[in-house]
Amino acid sequence: MGKIVMEGHIIREITPLSGKDCFYIADRNKTEFTYPMHCHKEFELNFVENAAGVQRIVGDSAEIIQDYDLVLITSPDLEHVWEQGTCHSDNIREITVQFSADFMKGLLETNQFDEVRKMFEKAQNGLCFPLKAIMKVYSLLDGLSETKGFYAVSKFMTIMYELSMFTKEARALSSSSFARIEVQSDSRRVQKVQDYINRHYQEEIRLATLANMVGMTEVSFSRFFKLRTGKSLSDYIIDIRLGHATRLLVDSTMAIAEICYECGFNNLSNFNRIFKKKKSCSPKEFREYYRKKRIVI
């Protein structure tokens, strides 16, 4: 891995990728995870095997992984870490591939790479691939570090293409508001509503207002919005507000009650209940845990 530097309270990794290389790969066997929470400007594909019990943190997402884990991150400011958790395996394998955002820049504008471009856009939140996607590229990943020159690039491009076929099934990890990602939709009506929510999440948002904005009945709009975003309107608004709340918990010293009202929740007990349900911890626990992981020892 590269060296780390502090930028304020954020740990930024300076990767060993040179300007003349397409990508950097580290394929290693280990018994524990010790690298601190960090971010870096390069894109990263990270594969972990035989590490059930490890906790993966990407933005404001914290999950316990199983025997196989594959995540793509394409945001320069999205902090992430894999930490030991309850894993006791003595045969962990981790393959990390880091590559510049410019590596495939021209290709992403072509029709042939349209699916890869969509995958990269979604991966700004951190993208976790399903097991069948991992099995599809496993043999390619397995031998990538031993492949040299043009054939290594060709193999890596194949991995990217094969994974892009699973973009819809892959799960975005961090909330967009925490990751500071501007959400884009193929639907102009959905985009209009999302832009409105992003501007007014601190206020009361009424279904009737949004439905009227796009010229639909409330019932029709609710169905349309869930079909296009995969979330009910209420869940979508809650996730936006929680993303801003988690960012304030991490980056500010504001009291939890202040954060609650600042992010559009009008009741502290309700905020705590929703936060615990969505994040499996209280706002106070989230703040303490996240800050602890940012400390370099």
PDB file of all heavy atoms in Angstrom, residues 6 12 21 24 46 51 56 86 88 94 98 110-111 117-118 120 148 153 180 193 206 216 251 258:
ATOM      1  N   MET A   6      -1.933  13.259   6.480  1.00  0.00           N
ATOM      2  CA  MET A   6      -3.118  13.821   7.111  1.00  0.00           C
ATOM      3  C   MET A   6      -3.508  15.115   6.415  1.00  0.00           C
ATOM      4  O   MET A   6      -2.673  15.976   6.188  1.00  0.00           O
ATOM      5  CB  MET A   6      -2.849  14.107   8.593  1.00  0.00           C
ATOM      6  CG  MET A   6      -2.696  12.862   9.448  1.00  0.00           C
ATOM      7  SD  MET A   6      -4.200  11.860   9.564  1.00  0.00           S
ATOM      8  CE  MET A   6      -5.306  12.961  10.438  1.00  0.00           C
ATOM      9  N   ARG A  12      -5.332  10.588   3.958  1.00  0.00           N
ATOM     10  CA  ARG A  12      -5.323  10.410   2.505  1.00  0.00           C
ATOM     11  C   ARG A  12      -4.104   9.557   2.121  1.00  0.00           C
ATOM     12  O   ARG A  12      -2.985   9.853   2.505  1.00  0.00           O
ATOM     13  CB  ARG A  12      -5.282  11.753   1.774  1.00  0.00           C
ATOM     14  CG  ARG A  12      -5.487  11.626   0.276  1.00  0.00           C
ATOM     15  CD  ARG A  12      -5.690  12.988  -0.374  1.00  0.00           C
ATOM     16  NE  ARG A  12      -6.955  13.603   0.015  1.00  0.00           N
ATOM     17  CZ  ARG A  12      -8.117  13.318  -0.557  1.00  0.00           C
ATOM     18  NH1 ARG A  12      -8.193  12.422  -1.529  1.00  0.00           N
ATOM     19  NH2 ARG A  12      -9.224  13.918  -0.165  1.00  0.00           N
ATOM     20  N   ASP A  21       1.879   4.167 -15.571  1.00  0.00           N
ATOM     21  CA  ASP A  21       1.257   2.853 -15.369  1.00  0.00           C
ATOM     22  C   ASP A  21      -0.255   2.935 -15.515  1.00  0.00           C
ATOM     23  O   ASP A  21      -0.873   3.935 -15.147  1.00  0.00           O
ATOM     24  CB  ASP A  21       1.588   2.312 -13.969  1.00  0.00           C
ATOM     25  CG  ASP A  21       3.053   1.941 -13.832  1.00  0.00           C
ATOM     26  OD1 ASP A  21       3.603   1.389 -14.797  1.00  0.00           O
ATOM     27  OD2 ASP A  21       3.631   2.219 -12.766  1.00  0.00           O
ATOM     28  N   TYR A  24      -2.072  -0.223 -10.549  1.00  0.00           N
ATOM     29  CA  TYR A  24      -1.185  -0.807  -9.552  1.00  0.00           C
ATOM     30  C   TYR A  24      -1.945  -1.940  -8.879  1.00  0.00           C
ATOM     31  O   TYR A  24      -3.127  -1.806  -8.558  1.00  0.00           O
ATOM     32  CB  TYR A  24      -0.789   0.242  -8.515  1.00  0.00           C
ATOM     33  CG  TYR A  24      -0.260  -0.318  -7.218  1.00  0.00           C
ATOM     34  CD1 TYR A  24       1.039  -0.784  -7.106  1.00  0.00           C
ATOM     35  CD2 TYR A  24      -1.084  -0.381  -6.077  1.00  0.00           C
ATOM     36  CE1 TYR A  24       1.524  -1.300  -5.909  1.00  0.00           C
ATOM     37  CE2 TYR A  24      -0.611  -0.887  -4.881  1.00  0.00           C
ATOM     38  CZ  TYR A  24       0.689  -1.352  -4.801  1.00  0.00           C
ATOM     39  OH  TYR A  24       1.163  -1.866  -3.618  1.00  0.00           O
ATOM     40  N   ASN A  46     -11.324  -3.689  -4.750  1.00  0.00           N
ATOM     41  CA  ASN A  46     -10.740  -4.447  -3.640  1.00  0.00           C
ATOM     42  C   ASN A  46     -11.472  -5.766  -3.430  1.00  0.00           C
ATOM     43  O   ASN A  46     -12.682  -5.803  -3.230  1.00  0.00           O
ATOM     44  CB  ASN A  46     -10.779  -3.633  -2.344  1.00  0.00           C
ATOM     45  CG  ASN A  46      -9.765  -4.135  -1.333  1.00  0.00           C
ATOM     46  OD1 ASN A  46      -8.560  -4.045  -1.563  1.00  0.00           O
ATOM     47  ND2 ASN A  46     -10.225  -4.654  -0.215  1.00  0.00           N
ATOM     48  N   ALA A  51     -12.275 -14.185   4.716  1.00  0.00           N
ATOM     49  CA  ALA A  51     -12.214 -13.182   5.785  1.00  0.00           C
ATOM     50  C   ALA A  51     -13.589 -12.938   6.403  1.00  0.00           C
ATOM     51  O   ALA A  51     -13.927 -11.807   6.750  1.00  0.00           O
ATOM     52  CB  ALA A  51     -11.625 -11.879   5.247  1.00  0.00           C
ATOM     53  N   ARG A  56     -16.379  -4.141   7.016  1.00  0.00           N
ATOM     54  CA  ARG A  56     -16.042  -3.216   5.936  1.00  0.00           C
ATOM     55  C   ARG A  56     -16.803  -1.917   6.147  1.00  0.00           C
ATOM     56  O   ARG A  56     -18.016  -1.919   6.283  1.00  0.00           O
ATOM     57  CB  ARG A  56     -16.415  -3.821   4.580  1.00  0.00           C
ATOM     58  CG  ARG A  56     -16.147  -2.863   3.436  1.00  0.00           C
ATOM     59  CD  ARG A  56     -16.984  -3.022   2.205  1.00  0.00           C
ATOM     60  NE  ARG A  56     -17.614  -4.285   1.915  1.00  0.00           N
ATOM     61  CZ  ARG A  56     -18.927  -4.486   2.057  1.00  0.00           C
ATOM     62  NH1 ARG A  56     -19.728  -3.545   2.509  1.00  0.00           N
ATOM     63  NH2 ARG A  56     -19.441  -5.662   1.735  1.00  0.00           N
ATOM     64  N   THR A  86     -14.483  -9.766  13.857  1.00  0.00           N
ATOM     65  CA  THR A  86     -14.437 -11.069  14.544  1.00  0.00           C
ATOM     66  C   THR A  86     -13.764 -12.140  13.695  1.00  0.00           C
ATOM     67  O   THR A  86     -13.909 -13.334  13.961  1.00  0.00           O
ATOM     68  CB  THR A  86     -15.869 -11.531  14.890  1.00  0.00           C
ATOM     69  OG1 THR A  86     -16.639 -11.638  13.675  1.00  0.00           O
ATOM     70  CG2 THR A  86     -16.556 -10.551  15.827  1.00  0.00           C
ATOM     71  N   HIS A  88     -11.024 -14.614  12.417  1.00  0.00           N
ATOM     72  CA  HIS A  88      -9.880 -15.312  13.004  1.00  0.00           C
ATOM     73  C   HIS A  88      -9.131 -16.134  11.959  1.00  0.00           C
ATOM     74  O   HIS A  88      -8.312 -17.001  12.300  1.00  0.00           O
ATOM     75  CB  HIS A  88     -10.342 -16.233  14.141  1.00  0.00           C
ATOM     76  CG  HIS A  88     -11.039 -15.501  15.255  1.00  0.00           C
ATOM     77  ND1 HIS A  88     -10.372 -14.622  16.093  1.00  0.00           N
ATOM     78  CD2 HIS A  88     -12.338 -15.496  15.646  1.00  0.00           C
ATOM     79  CE1 HIS A  88     -11.236 -14.123  16.970  1.00  0.00           C
ATOM     80  NE2 HIS A  88     -12.435 -14.633  16.711  1.00  0.00           N
ATOM     81  N   GLU A  94      -6.087 -10.759  -0.008  1.00  0.00           N
ATOM     82  CA  GLU A  94      -6.618  -9.461  -0.434  1.00  0.00           C
ATOM     83  C   GLU A  94      -5.926  -9.041  -1.723  1.00  0.00           C
ATOM     84  O   GLU A  94      -4.697  -9.047  -1.816  1.00  0.00           O
ATOM     85  CB  GLU A  94      -6.400  -8.402   0.647  1.00  0.00           C
ATOM     86  CG  GLU A  94      -7.022  -7.059   0.294  1.00  0.00           C
ATOM     87  CD  GLU A  94      -6.877  -6.031   1.406  1.00  0.00           C
ATOM     88  OE1 GLU A  94      -5.846  -6.063   2.125  1.00  0.00           O
ATOM     89  OE2 GLU A  94      -7.779  -5.196   1.555  1.00  0.00           O
ATOM     90  N   GLN A  98      -5.568  -0.460  -7.967  1.00  0.00           N
ATOM     91  CA  GLN A  98      -5.809   0.978  -7.986  1.00  0.00           C
ATOM     92  C   GLN A  98      -5.448   1.518  -9.367  1.00  0.00           C
ATOM     93  O   GLN A  98      -4.406   1.149  -9.928  1.00  0.00           O
ATOM     94  CB  GLN A  98      -4.993   1.675  -6.903  1.00  0.00           C
ATOM     95  CG  GLN A  98      -5.440   1.273  -5.496  1.00  0.00           C
ATOM     96  CD  GLN A  98      -4.544   1.827  -4.411  1.00  0.00           C
ATOM     97  OE1 GLN A  98      -3.360   2.065  -4.614  1.00  0.00           O
ATOM     98  NE2 GLN A  98      -5.113   2.035  -3.230  1.00  0.00           N
ATOM     99  N   THR A 110     -17.431   6.081 -25.230  1.00  0.00           N
ATOM    100  CA  THR A 110     -17.856   5.293 -26.385  1.00  0.00           C
ATOM    101  C   THR A 110     -19.058   4.418 -26.032  1.00  0.00           C
ATOM    102  O   THR A 110     -19.289   4.107 -24.854  1.00  0.00           O
ATOM    103  CB  THR A 110     -16.719   4.384 -26.885  1.00  0.00           C
ATOM    104  OG1 THR A 110     -16.414   3.396 -25.872  1.00  0.00           O
ATOM    105  CG2 THR A 110     -15.455   5.190 -27.185  1.00  0.00           C
ATOM    106  N   ASN A 111     -19.801   4.000 -27.066  1.00  0.00           N
ATOM    107  CA  ASN A 111     -20.975   3.138 -26.845  1.00  0.00           C
ATOM    108  C   ASN A 111     -20.583   1.806 -26.229  1.00  0.00           C
ATOM    109  O   ASN A 111     -21.320   1.247 -25.410  1.00  0.00           O
ATOM    110  CB  ASN A 111     -21.705   2.893 -28.170  1.00  0.00           C
ATOM    111  CG  ASN A 111     -22.359   4.154 -28.710  1.00  0.00           C
ATOM    112  OD1 ASN A 111     -22.747   5.030 -27.947  1.00  0.00           O
ATOM    113  ND2 ASN A 111     -22.475   4.248 -30.024  1.00  0.00           N
ATOM    114  N   ARG A 117     -19.169   2.803 -17.802  1.00  0.00           N
ATOM    115  CA  ARG A 117     -19.348   4.179 -17.332  1.00  0.00           C
ATOM    116  C   ARG A 117     -20.442   4.240 -16.265  1.00  0.00           C
ATOM    117  O   ARG A 117     -20.284   4.896 -15.229  1.00  0.00           O
ATOM    118  CB  ARG A 117     -19.704   5.083 -18.503  1.00  0.00           C
ATOM    119  CG  ARG A 117     -19.975   6.541 -18.104  1.00  0.00           C
ATOM    120  CD  ARG A 117     -20.463   7.365 -19.280  1.00  0.00           C
ATOM    121  NE  ARG A 117     -21.672   6.816 -19.885  1.00  0.00           N
ATOM    122  CZ  ARG A 117     -22.892   6.944 -19.361  1.00  0.00           C
ATOM    123  NH1 ARG A 117     -23.072   7.599 -18.212  1.00  0.00           N
ATOM    124  NH2 ARG A 117     -23.949   6.419 -19.970  1.00  0.00           N
ATOM    125  N   LYS A 118     -21.553   3.552 -16.510  1.00  0.00           N
ATOM    126  CA  LYS A 118     -22.648   3.538 -15.534  1.00  0.00           C
ATOM    127  C   LYS A 118     -22.182   2.904 -14.214  1.00  0.00           C
ATOM    128  O   LYS A 118     -22.555   3.358 -13.125  1.00  0.00           O
ATOM    129  CB  LYS A 118     -23.840   2.768 -16.090  1.00  0.00           C
ATOM    130  CG  LYS A 118     -24.547   3.471 -17.242  1.00  0.00           C
ATOM    131  CD  LYS A 118     -25.666   2.600 -17.805  1.00  0.00           C
ATOM    132  CE  LYS A 118     -26.344   3.266 -18.992  1.00  0.00           C
ATOM    133  NZ  LYS A 118     -27.382   2.387 -19.601  1.00  0.00           N
ATOM    134  N   PHE A 120     -19.091   2.889 -13.035  1.00  0.00           N
ATOM    135  CA  PHE A 120     -18.204   3.831 -12.365  1.00  0.00           C
ATOM    136  C   PHE A 120     -19.000   4.939 -11.667  1.00  0.00           C
ATOM    137  O   PHE A 120     -18.625   5.388 -10.579  1.00  0.00           O
ATOM    138  CB  PHE A 120     -17.225   4.446 -13.367  1.00  0.00           C
ATOM    139  CG  PHE A 120     -16.079   3.539 -13.742  1.00  0.00           C
ATOM    140  CD1 PHE A 120     -15.991   2.256 -13.246  1.00  0.00           C
ATOM    141  CD2 PHE A 120     -15.084   3.979 -14.589  1.00  0.00           C
ATOM    142  CE1 PHE A 120     -14.953   1.410 -13.589  1.00  0.00           C
ATOM    143  CE2 PHE A 120     -14.018   3.157 -14.938  1.00  0.00           C
ATOM    144  CZ  PHE A 120     -13.957   1.865 -14.439  1.00  0.00           C
ATOM    145  N   LYS A 148       1.611  -9.858 -17.176  1.00  0.00           N
ATOM    146  CA  LYS A 148       2.403  -8.658 -17.409  1.00  0.00           C
ATOM    147  C   LYS A 148       2.006  -7.934 -18.690  1.00  0.00           C
ATOM    148  O   LYS A 148       1.396  -8.501 -19.596  1.00  0.00           O
ATOM    149  CB  LYS A 148       3.900  -9.024 -17.479  1.00  0.00           C
ATOM    150  CG  LYS A 148       4.433  -9.795 -16.273  1.00  0.00           C
ATOM    151  CD  LYS A 148       4.250  -9.015 -14.969  1.00  0.00           C
ATOM    152  CE  LYS A 148       4.750  -9.831 -13.768  1.00  0.00           C
ATOM    153  NZ  LYS A 148       4.460  -9.146 -12.493  1.00  0.00           N
ATOM    154  N   VAL A 153      -3.331  -5.583 -18.889  1.00  0.00           N
ATOM    155  CA  VAL A 153      -4.316  -4.525 -19.148  1.00  0.00           C
ATOM    156  C   VAL A 153      -5.570  -5.127 -19.770  1.00  0.00           C
ATOM    157  O   VAL A 153      -6.698  -4.798 -19.393  1.00  0.00           O
ATOM    158  CB  VAL A 153      -3.725  -3.437 -20.063  1.00  0.00           C
ATOM    159  CG1 VAL A 153      -4.782  -2.389 -20.394  1.00  0.00           C
ATOM    160  CG2 VAL A 153      -2.519  -2.780 -19.400  1.00  0.00           C
ATOM    161  N   ARG A 180     -21.037  13.034  -0.635  1.00  0.00           N
ATOM    162  CA  ARG A 180     -21.051  14.303  -1.381  1.00  0.00           C
ATOM    163  C   ARG A 180     -21.126  14.053  -2.885  1.00  0.00           C
ATOM    164  O   ARG A 180     -20.431  14.687  -3.682  1.00  0.00           O
ATOM    165  CB  ARG A 180     -19.816  15.149  -1.045  1.00  0.00           C
ATOM    166  CG  ARG A 180     -19.663  15.503   0.431  1.00  0.00           C
ATOM    167  CD  ARG A 180     -18.549  16.507   0.641  1.00  0.00           C
ATOM    168  NE  ARG A 180     -18.362  16.844   2.035  1.00  0.00           N
ATOM    169  CZ  ARG A 180     -17.409  16.328   2.817  1.00  0.00           C
ATOM    170  NH1 ARG A 180     -16.569  15.439   2.311  1.00  0.00           N
ATOM    171  NH2 ARG A 180     -17.290  16.692   4.071  1.00  0.00           N
ATOM    172  N   VAL A 193     -37.266  16.181  -8.968  1.00  0.00           N
ATOM    173  CA  VAL A 193     -37.680  15.916  -7.594  1.00  0.00           C
ATOM    174  C   VAL A 193     -36.457  15.729  -6.691  1.00  0.00           C
ATOM    175  O   VAL A 193     -36.410  16.262  -5.570  1.00  0.00           O
ATOM    176  CB  VAL A 193     -38.592  14.672  -7.538  1.00  0.00           C
ATOM    177  CG1 VAL A 193     -38.800  14.212  -6.097  1.00  0.00           C
ATOM    178  CG2 VAL A 193     -39.930  14.967  -8.198  1.00  0.00           C
ATOM    179  N   ARG A 206     -43.609  17.791   1.371  1.00  0.00           N
ATOM    180  CA  ARG A 206     -44.929  17.170   1.212  1.00  0.00           C
ATOM    181  C   ARG A 206     -45.032  16.420  -0.112  1.00  0.00           C
ATOM    182  O   ARG A 206     -44.545  16.892  -1.147  1.00  0.00           O
ATOM    183  CB  ARG A 206     -46.022  18.234   1.288  1.00  0.00           C
ATOM    184  CG  ARG A 206     -46.143  18.896   2.649  1.00  0.00           C
ATOM    185  CD  ARG A 206     -47.298  19.883   2.681  1.00  0.00           C
ATOM    186  NE  ARG A 206     -47.475  20.469   4.006  1.00  0.00           N
ATOM    187  CZ  ARG A 206     -48.154  19.902   4.999  1.00  0.00           C
ATOM    188  NH1 ARG A 206     -48.737  18.721   4.800  1.00  0.00           N
ATOM    189  NH2 ARG A 206     -48.267  20.493   6.173  1.00  0.00           N
ATOM    190  N   MET A 216     -48.299  14.989 -11.711  1.00  0.00           N
ATOM    191  CA  MET A 216     -48.852  13.650 -11.506  1.00  0.00           C
ATOM    192  C   MET A 216     -49.711  13.644 -10.258  1.00  0.00           C
ATOM    193  O   MET A 216     -49.571  14.504  -9.384  1.00  0.00           O
ATOM    194  CB  MET A 216     -47.721  12.605 -11.368  1.00  0.00           C
ATOM    195  CG  MET A 216     -46.810  12.516 -12.576  1.00  0.00           C
ATOM    196  SD  MET A 216     -45.390  11.393 -12.319  1.00  0.00           S
ATOM    197  CE  MET A 216     -46.207   9.809 -12.398  1.00  0.00           C
ATOM    198  N   ASP A 251     -17.795  15.128  10.903  1.00  0.00           N
ATOM    199  CA  ASP A 251     -16.977  16.303  10.579  1.00  0.00           C
ATOM    200  C   ASP A 251     -17.190  17.511  11.486  1.00  0.00           C
ATOM    201  O   ASP A 251     -16.446  18.479  11.388  1.00  0.00           O
ATOM    202  CB  ASP A 251     -17.250  16.740   9.133  1.00  0.00           C
ATOM    203  CG  ASP A 251     -16.666  15.764   8.113  1.00  0.00           C
ATOM    204  OD1 ASP A 251     -15.820  14.945   8.502  1.00  0.00           O
ATOM    205  OD2 ASP A 251     -17.064  15.828   6.940  1.00  0.00           O
ATOM    206  N   GLU A 258     -28.762  19.171  17.866  1.00  0.00           N
ATOM    207  CA  GLU A 258     -28.641  20.197  16.823  1.00  0.00           C
ATOM    208  C   GLU A 258     -28.633  19.559  15.437  1.00  0.00           C
ATOM    209  O   GLU A 258     -29.286  20.028  14.503  1.00  0.00           O
ATOM    210  CB  GLU A 258     -27.359  20.992  17.008  1.00  0.00           C
ATOM    211  CG  GLU A 258     -27.324  21.949  18.170  1.00  0.00           C
ATOM    212  CD  GLU A 258     -26.009  22.705  18.209  1.00  0.00           C
ATOM    213  OE1 GLU A 258     -25.898  23.726  17.510  1.00  0.00           O
ATOM    214  OE2 GLU A 258     -25.085  22.254  18.914  1.00  0.00           O
TER     215      GLU A 258
END
